[in-house]
Amino acid sequence: MARILIVDDSLMMRKTLRNFLEKAGHEIVGEALNGEQAILSYSKCQPELVTMDITMPGLGGIEAIRRIIQVDPAANIVVVSSLGQKHIIFDAIQNGAKNFILKPITEQKLIPVIDLVMEYSSVAASSN
């Protein structure tokens, strides 16, 4: 199972994600309220996967993705956001996010995407 950093400015959303992910056997290694905290926590916690909100106070999710990918091009970032516009999704993927899940979040939407990203990451790592 994966070591995961949760990034979202909503305490309720962080608790929901933590609950779903821990129930599925993942370990939550950190939480962040915005992009600045996400970058610092990524360096400190060395997660295998990050769930990233897009709209947060201060540094937003797209810029945080960009900066994390600059430090670690292999970072596994899954955007979890209520913003469903195509250009936001494209921007997140173009900047390094591996997948995108739209809120409202459900366990049935979240876990298969997390598992898929981790499986792909494992296959990519073993082929190197």
Side-chain angles (χ1 to χ4, degrees):
M1 296 282 100
R3 300 178 47 187
I4 299 177
L5 169 64
I6 298 171
V7 183
D8 200 296
D9 59 325
S10 164
L11 175 61
M12 179 63 98
M13 182 53 59
R14 289 193 314 275
K15 284 183 175 184
T16 299
L17 289 168
R18 175 182 283 274
N19 180 44
F20 290 159
L21 292 165
E22 286 181 341
K23 183 177 171 188
H26 299 288
E27 177 188 358
I28 307 309
V29 295
E31 293 185 13
L33 307 175
N34 57 42
E36 290 97 349
Q37 287 184 8
I39 294 163
L40 292 172
S41 294
Y42 189 86
S43 303
K44 179 182 164 195
C45 301
Q46 296 295 304
E48 295 171 286
L49 186 134
V50 178
T51 64
M52 180 75 71
D53 190 14
I54 294 296
T55 306
M56 297 176 285
L59 189 70
I62 299 291
E63 185 59 26
I65 292 167
R66 188 177 293 125
R67 292 187 191 179
I68 289 170
I69 293 296
Q70 284 175 348
V71 173
D72 181 5
N76 293 309
I77 303 172
V78 175
V79 172
V80 179
S81 181
S82 57
L83 295 175
Q85 297 95 346
K86 288 181 183 179
H87 72 279
I88 298 292
I89 296 169
F90 178 75
D91 204 14
I93 300 295
Q94 187 175 24
N95 281 288
K98 300 286 194 282
N99 215 319
F100 197 100
I101 304 169
L102 291 177
K103 295 175 184 175
I105 198 73
T106 64
E107 196 170 354
Q108 293 73 26
K109 284 174 25 179
L110 176 69
I111 300 306
V113 171
I114 298 299
D115 291 346
L116 180 67
V117 169
M118 291 310 300
E119 183 180 327
Y120 177 78
S121 174
S122 172
V123 168
S126 67
S127 68
N128 288 336

